[in-house]
Structure formats: C-alpha cells, structure tokens
Amino acid sequence: MSRIVVITSGKGGVGKTTTAASLAAGLARAGHRTAVVDFDVGLRNLDLVMGCERRVVFDFVNVINGDARLNQALIKDKRLSNLSILPASQTRDKDALTPDGVERVLDELRADFDYVICDSPAGIERGAHLASYHADDAIVVTNPEVSSVRDSDRVLGLLASRTRRAEQGDDPVREHLLLTRYDPQRVKKGDMLSVEDVQEILAINLLGVIPESQSVLNASNAGIPVVLEDGEDAGQAYNDAIARYLGEDRPHRFLQAERRGLFGRMFGG
Amino acid sequence: MASRPPDASSSEAFELKGRMATLTVVRVLTTDVDALIRQLTEKLEEAPRLLRGAPMILDLDGVDGGALDLQRLAGEMRALGAAPVAVRGNGVEPGRLASAGLGVLPAEEEREANGQSAGRAARREAAPASPGPAAAASRVIDSPVRSGQQIYARGGSLVVLGPVGPGAEVLADGDVHIYGALRGRALAGVQGNAGASIFCLGLEAELVSVAGEYQVSERFAAELIGRPARVHLDEQAGLRIEAFGKS
C-alpha cells in the first residue's frame, strides 16, 4: 500500500525542500519506489536541490492541464534508479493547481510508487492546502525558535481538520516532527529552544533532529540531497530519521554540544 | 410501549427522545421590533461566533405578546443569522406562531435561575416524577488544541486532554479544564457565569477571562508562570489567578 507523505511547516526557509529531497533519496536508496513532487508552483526549487534542473521539460501544471502525460514530466534520478522527480512550474502560480487535477496526478503516482513525497510551499493557503490534502503521513519541519514552532502548531491543527482523512473520518494523518538547523551550542546558551521545549509544545512524535551544518548548504548548491553525504553529520541525521520513519528504533544523535574546554569540565562524566 | 406495525422489519427511520438542551433565551422587553433588531444586530457584531446560528428562545413574559409582530421579528432575526426556534410566554395564538415558524414552550417548564415563585416550585414537585434537569454535558477534546483553532463548549464546560497552543482559543459557558499547558487564550463563563473557573496544569496563557473580566499575560505574577493554576472571579478582588498543587 503506497503512502503519500507531505513535508510541511507553515513557515518558509526552515528546510522543507532539503527534507523532501533527502527523504525521497533515502527511501529510494532503501529500495522503495519513490516519487517527489514539487508543489511550490512559481517558486520551484526542488529540481535544483535534486540536481536535475537542466532536464526539466514538462512540469506538474502541464500534467494537470493535460499538456503532457505523467511519464513525460517525471524525471528519473541519475543516482538512484527507483527515484523520480515531478518538478513544479516556474512560470505559473498556485492557482494553476486544481483539486481535481492534484487528486488525479496523485492517484496515478500512487499506482506506480511506494512513497509519494509532496514538498509543500510555505504558508497555509491554496498550494499548501492541496499539498497536504491527500497526505497519509506528515513531516512537520520546524526550527528551534518560537515563530517556527507556532506556525507548526497551526499547521498541525489544519492537518487534523482540513485533510481528506479528517473530512472523511478516516484514521488521522500520522504526524512526525523533524527539528532542523539545531545548534546545541546556542541551545545551551539559551538562544534557541531545546528539543524538549519544542516537543513539549507540539506534542507529536519526534522523527529526528538535524544539526545546523554547512554541509546542508554545500549539498544544496551541488544539487545532491544531503542524505547521500554519508560523511556529514546532517546526512547521518537524515539517515537516522528515515530509518525511524521506516520503523527502525535508533537513538537520537547530535543533541549535545561538542565538549570543549570549560563545557567539557562542566558536563564531564 | 407502542405496538410496532407488523411490517416494521427494516430499521426505524427515527427515534423520539426528550433531551435537556441549553438555549439562549432572548427576554423581549419591548414590542418595538425596530429597536429589538437594532440592538440584536449590535450584539451579534460584538460576538458573531457565539451567537450566529445559535438556537434562541423568545421569552415574552415581560411584554404583551399579542402586540408584538412575531412574524417580522423572527424573519429579521433569521436574516441576521440567529435561529429563533420557539416562544415562551403568554398571549400568543398558535396560528401566529405557526406563520412565524416558531414552536411554543409553556412558561413554567423552563427552570428559573433563582426559583422565583414558591408556587411554581411546589407545582414542579407535585408533577409526576420526571428526571430533574440534567447538568449540561461537558465537551471533551482529546487532542492538543492547535494555534488558530477555536473551540467553544456552548452551555457547559470544556475539557481539553492536552495542551492549548499559542494563538489557540478555548471558550466555555461553564468551566475550562486543561490537562496540559495553556499557552493560548482561555475564556470561561462567556455568557456571564461569574462562578466559572479556568484550570490548567501549566499557566503560560496569552489571556485568561472569566465572565468578561480578563487579564493578559503581561500582568501575570512571575511566580505563577508555568505552574498549575486556577483562574476565577472574586467578588472583591476581581479576576484572581492562584497556583494549586505542590511544586
């Protein structure tokens, strides 16, 4: 049974697209047929992060409008054979997405793939609503700061009330928290909320904590999903999160500041 | 028990049940429909979410029901988004009620807030043993209340089994119980019940209010923040916030 997973947050710039790319690549590497769909029509980015921007011919809106078949628009990843990308249109806006069109495309993807990852745009309007509407699972990407946490709380409320599962009275959307750009040093200084603070406020299952890392930006610029960078802490953290999503029990890492000097003595043992 | 018709093999289309329900009572104090509508419009603007669509009873005890243009009043109220369902009181003929689309409630059946007349109470006691007025049911929410959500327990208390997020709003005509942290707004006794309280396991609210008396978080005492707390109205001191339990 295939699952539709939405990557959402409310707030922009917290790491939705990075997460969508890494989750898709990680699931594909684990042997699952995976498609990742860019819902950010007009501000398309996913193709850049996936490194396929020069191979985009048709896009999501073309498929919805019937200008192209789904298979013509899907781009096969060059690294992972069972990973496909459906890019957004850059020349249109979110109004080009119709509820019927989105449903048709997702149904078609469901038939061919084990996981369909929907990269939601920021906000809570049409684009974000349509990206979340058909979701079975939601990964709520949150930064450890108050405005991001509040927006995530709002998004969780919408997931519980305005999705297909909520409207039809099915089992609710399974919600997961992914905390990104986590900097234990700044948490310790009190500049950032801690994992415990965020979890306490949002009260949902913690899928993983991705440390703030230069490697994320480097990987994005190079068009490589950071999960494929096995030598980097952020890549390992994404790998852990994906393993947990697939049901594996792994301890959380990268939560403590590296011990140096004074800190080492204060927190020794 | 009524005997069933012989062919009642299929499932029944409905059941008739007597239920206690809390309705908003509009005590009509004038027969001037224009004045009534004007003031109702103002009230609805003040609290549109609470009153729009709310079933209402028109209490005509205070006026001469025969002199009131019921059909027009009911029509105008519906145009405003209110839902008049019945009339309580004297002097209205059934025909006029029917044309206004309203039912009728005998005046003495409604429970008076302060048990006005002894005769009335005696009559109720003498009546055949019918179940007393049931306490209004609590509304129980078994998931966190998220930012942007508004939950209102009309006519009773609200129980939330989880936290109330920042930017969320929980309201009740009775008490508000939150088995978790209160980070949004909580309003108890919103129809004016000054005996209502708010209880929460962690006070981090943006605003608390009982029967219209409110306080914003800026004015909370620092030692109360994050503690289990009760918010209630004190006759002398106004709104009081007190910690409870140990810690």
Side-chain angles (χ1 to χ4, degrees):
Chain A
M1 191 52 203
S2 65
R3 291 193 80 80
I4 295 182
V5 188
V6 63
I7 313 297
T8 183
S9 70
K11 195 169 163 62
V14 297
K16 282 184 297 295
T17 299
T18 301
T19 299
S22 280
L23 178 67
L27 289 171
R29 189 163 64 171
H32 302 285
R33 294 169 303 161
T34 306
V36 55
V37 184
D38 191 349
F39 272 77
D40 207 347
V41 176
L43 293 168
R44 106 181 177 214
N45 278 162
L46 181 68
D47 51 330
L48 286 171
V49 177
M50 297 293 295
C52 65
E53 73 278 8
R54 305 205 303 172
R55 294 196 286 141
V56 175
V57 182
F58 296 110
D59 58 52
F60 194 7
V61 172
N62 292 139
V63 180
I64 285 180
N65 291 344
D67 305 331
R69 278 178 290 111
L70 182 60
N71 280 334
Q72 292 176 297
L74 281 173
I75 302 172
K76 271 200 177 303
D77 188 81
K78 284 188 169 170
R79 296 157 291 222
L80 297 156
S81 62
N82 47 6
L83 175 60
S84 295
I85 299 112
L86 182 57
S89 170
Q90 182 70 348
T91 54
R92 307 294 294 273
D93 61 31
K94 268 86 176 168
D95 293 337
L97 297 174
T98 61
D100 291 347
V102 169
E103 181 168 1
R104 214 176 53 239
V105 173
L106 288 181
D107 280 348
E108 213 175 316
L109 287 169
R110 230 190 234 280
D112 291 340
F113 293 93
D114 303 319
Y115 290 97
V116 180
I117 314 297
C118 300
D119 183 19
S120 170
I124 53 174
E125 285 79 24
R126 186 187 182 87
H129 175 61
L130 287 171
S132 302
Y133 187 76
H134 296 277
D136 301 305
D137 298 334
I139 294 180
V140 179
V141 182
T142 306
N143 287 171
E145 46 109 5
V146 286
S147 60
S148 176
V149 172
R150 176 176 295 197
D151 289 358
S152 294
D153 195 49
R154 177 89 168 101
V155 161
L156 285 164
L158 295 173
L159 286 168
S161 60
R162 290 187 51 206
T163 52
R164 181 183 55 84
R165 281 177 173 270
E167 286 176 6
Q168 298 184 354
D170 296 344
D171 291 342
V173 176
R174 244 191 271 162
E175 300 157 340
H176 305 274
L177 172 65
L178 189 74
L179 203 54
T180 55
R181 310 201 64 168
Y182 195 74
D183 184 342
Q185 294 285 358
R186 298 190 61 194
V187 172
K188 197 177 283 178
K189 278 192 275 175
D191 298 345
M192 259 187 191
L193 295 174
S194 69
V195 189
E196 293 77 18
D197 291 341
V198 178
Q199 245 191 311
E200 225 250 320
I201 295 173
L202 294 179
I204 57 170
N205 165 49
L206 178 67
L207 192 63
V209 179
I210 312 298
E212 170 80 359
S213 165
Q214 185 63 38
S215 60
V216 174
L217 189 60
N218 293 346
S220 287
N221 287 338
I224 302 165
V226 68
V227 71
L228 302 179
E229 304 274 19
D230 291 317
E232 303 287 349
D233 51 1
Q236 293 168 14
Y238 269 116
N239 245 319
D240 285 355
I242 291 159
R244 284 186 209 108
Y245 174 75
L246 291 172
E248 217 177 292
D249 191 16
R250 288 197 186 181
H252 289 279
R253 296 193 276 172
F254 314 111
L255 302 185
Q256 301 303 325
E258 280 169 40
R259 288 180 196 149
R260 359 176 204 197
L262 186 63
F263 287 120
R265 269 184 282 137
M266 284 167 66
F267 293 88
Chain B
M1 283 280 114
S3 63
R4 283 170 149 229
D7 61 344
S9 53
S10 60
S11 61
E12 287 166 74
F14 63 85
E15 291 176 6
L16 283 178
K17 297 212 163 168
R19 282 275 161 82
M20 299 297 295
T22 305
L23 301 178
T24 306
V25 175
V26 181
R27 285 207 65 186
V28 179
L29 303 174
T30 172
T31 54
D32 179 354
V33 174
D34 289 323
L36 280 166
I37 289 301
R38 198 170 54 243
Q39 292 186 18
L40 262 174
T41 309
E42 286 166 15
K43 258 281 180 293
L44 281 165
E45 273 164 9
E46 272 171 35
R49 295 211 199 192
L50 302 190
L51 295 176
R52 192 140 292 159
M56 292 179 180
I57 290 173
L58 299 170
D59 181 339
L60 305 184
D61 266 349
V63 292
D64 173 14
L68 182 68
D69 185 349
L70 260 184
Q71 191 166 358
R72 180 163 159 240
L73 178 60
E76 299 248 12
M77 284 177 74
R78 292 193 181 106
L80 285 177
V85 292
V87 161
R88 185 178 72 180
N90 315 309
V92 188
E93 320 135 30
R96 290 183 52 217
L97 285 173
S99 63
L102 296 170
V104 66
L105 286 173
E108 70 268 54
E109 259 188 30
E110 190 81 4
R111 187 169 51 118
E112 293 295 325
N114 46 5
Q116 275 181 344
S117 79
R120 220 175 244 187
R123 219 179 320 154
R124 191 180 305 147
E125 268 180 16
S130 64
S138 297
R139 183 166 174 199
V140 180
I141 306 294
D142 61 2
S143 57
V145 181
R146 303 293 185 182
S147 181
Q149 289 182 314
Q150 188 189 48
I151 293 179
Y152 174 37
R154 188 188 298 281
S157 294
L158 179 67
V159 178
V160 180
L161 305 178
V164 174
E169 193 166 274
V170 290
L171 311 96
D173 289 347
D175 299 330
V176 175
H177 301 263
I178 299 158
Y179 294 95
L182 168 59
R183 301 192 175 91
R185 299 167 159 232
L187 298 89
V190 293
Q191 303 262 23
N193 177 5
S197 291
I198 300 165
F199 305 88
C200 65
L201 294 187
L203 181 75
E204 295 166 43
E206 295 166 342
L207 176 148
V208 290
S209 161
V210 175
E213 294 268 329
Y214 68 91
Q215 206 173 97
V216 291
S217 59
E218 204 176 59
R219 298 189 45 216
F220 294 170
E223 66 270 19
L224 291 171
I225 304 293
R227 306 251 333 251
R230 175 192 179 199
V231 183
H232 64 107
L233 266 189
D234 184 291
E235 266 179 38
Q236 278 89 43
L239 198 69
R240 280 183 62 87
I241 307 178
E242 287 164 345
F244 66 82
K246 55 177 191 281
S247 84

